[in-house]
Amino acid sequence: MMRFLSLPGGGIKSIIQIVFLKKILAIYKEFLNTVDTFLGTSSGGILALSLAAEKDLFAIERFFSSLVEELKKGTLSIDRFHEIAKSYFGDAKLNDLRKEVAVIVVSLSKKCNGAFRWEGEIVTRENYPTSKIADIATATIAVPGFFAPWQGMIDGGIYIADPSLAALYLSKGYIENIVVLKLGTGELYRSVSPERFTSSWYDFIIPMIFDLTYSLSHKISDTVLGKRFFAMQPILKKGPQPNFFEYEQIKYLEMLAYECFAEKKSSLCSWLEEFWLS
């Protein structure tokens, strides 16, 4: 049986995933050692790389906190992010990892006659063995409209927002032999006026793409895997996109994660013991 831990993106909302992991480890201390492959996109990709690099949750929290501080100051360019990531991961390469990891990016690949096109990539130790972890972390966080591409790659959420779908690809056709636990970053209901579809729609087209690919990836994983797929996914407050970098909102995300875990603890533990730990 292959066990995949799926970590979708969500920026600072990855705080929710860290809380989930803390609560799971409080019950199953060896849980991370049972994971065969860490899957991640965007901020979830950073978390997946961190776990595969065997960083502890306190170090991961400090890393995310440093990013929040840079964002609040308005100093987090893609180059600055890479500096922080290199300080955190060092010069380690993917083939230095002892754990399997798969991170979603979108790359610009040169084609015939000098033409270029975007292509989705599932980055693993097998196909990117000598790539530096800091570079892959930087690429998967390069959200269009916020950051420049990194080494010809951008945030993979446009391709596979919910990396659970990558588990089906990595199973190489043996989907009956895999189980997937998804720790989501919360589902946000966005308020969009119908009039905006005929006027200034550009500023919300990227969030729309992320939302739709996320929903499709989740539905496919749930349909194909059935009971061998379990998702922890809290519902965020309705209304406009909140400023999650405010202290009050960070505390709100933590509270939401604790409430969601308390609500789903029993069903999660039952699922883990039946499908993951058995």
Side-chain angles (χ1 to χ4, degrees):
M1 185 66 70
M2 294 179 63
R3 301 167 182 85
F4 293 87
L5 180 61
S6 175
L7 301 162
I12 194 57
K13 298 195 298 294
S14 280
I15 288 171
I16 293 172
Q17 295 166 319
I18 293 173
V19 171
F20 285 160
L21 285 169
K22 284 181 178 179
K23 299 298 287 184
I24 291 172
L25 288 171
I27 302 170
Y28 304 103
K29 298 189 187 309
E30 297 300 315
F31 170 74
L32 292 176
N33 293 330
T34 68
V35 177
D36 294 304
T37 302
F38 296 97
L39 307 172
T41 298
S42 195
S43 60
I46 298 170
L47 184 52
L49 289 165
S50 297
L51 294 171
E54 300 177 89
K55 301 281 189 181
D56 63 60
L57 291 180
F58 296 105
I60 295 171
E61 277 189 304
R62 287 195 299 272
F63 176 74
F64 275 95
S65 294
S66 68
L67 298 181
V68 171
E69 290 305 311
E70 295 280 345
L71 281 163
K72 286 167 67 176
K73 293 186 292 185
T75 55
L76 191 63
S77 65
I78 197 68
D79 291 317
R80 178 57 181 149
F81 178 89
H82 183 254
E83 287 178 16
I84 298 170
K86 188 173 181 180
S87 174
Y88 177 62
F89 289 112
D91 289 321
K93 300 177 176 63
L94 287 183
N95 60 3
D96 294 326
L97 298 173
R98 294 191 299 172
K99 285 280 191 177
E100 293 293 340
V101 65
V103 177
I104 316 301
V105 301
V106 175
S107 66
L108 182 59
S109 303
K110 189 170 183 179
K111 296 298 179 182
C112 62
N113 301 321
F116 289 81
R117 61 172 289 182
W118 292 108
E119 282 195 348
E121 295 269 8
I122 301 175
V123 175
T124 66
R125 294 193 304 174
E126 181 178 357
N127 59 6
Y128 280 80
T130 61
S131 291
K132 293 183 178 180
I133 300 173
D135 287 326
I136 301 303
T138 306
T140 195
I141 202 70
V143 183
F146 293 92
F147 297 118
W150 185 258
Q151 297 184 349
M153 295 181 284
I154 62 172
D155 191 323
I158 293 176
Y159 176 49
I160 303 178
D162 179 353
S164 305
L165 190 61
L168 304 182
Y169 171 80
L170 294 171
S171 72
K172 302 184 185 302
Y174 295 97
I175 57 175
E176 68 278 2
N177 292 331
I178 68 173
V179 291
V180 177
L181 172 62
K182 182 178 85 170
L183 303 182
T185 54
E187 187 173 356
L188 178 66
Y189 290 92
R190 305 178 193 271
S191 297
V192 179
S193 169
E195 289 77 19
R196 295 189 65 188
F197 286 90
T198 58
S199 57
S200 58
W201 52 267
Y202 180 79
D203 58 340
F204 69 84
I205 194 68
I206 294 298
M208 180 190 294
I209 292 171
F210 276 101
D211 289 349
L212 292 174
T213 59
Y214 185 94
S215 175
L216 178 62
S217 299
H218 178 93
K219 287 177 181 176
I220 292 173
S221 300
D222 189 34
T223 301
V224 173
L225 295 174
K227 292 182 178 180
R228 287 177 288 112
F229 176 72
F230 191 95
M232 295 284 286
Q233 177 75 324
I235 303 297
L236 300 174
K237 66 174 69 171
K238 296 183 180 181
Q241 173 75 52
N243 179 5
F244 286 119
F245 303 115
E246 294 176 356
Y247 175 78
E248 293 79 7
Q249 294 293 351
I250 291 174
K251 301 310 291 184
Y252 161 72
L253 292 173
E254 292 177 338
M255 179 196 70
L256 189 71
Y258 284 117
E259 289 178 352
C260 179
F261 189 88
E263 179 183 340
K264 292 194 171 185
K265 176 181 175 181
S266 178
S267 53
L268 171 64
C269 290
S270 296
W271 182 85
L272 285 171
E273 289 170 16
E274 180 177 357
F275 295 100
W276 190 281
L277 301 172
S278 59

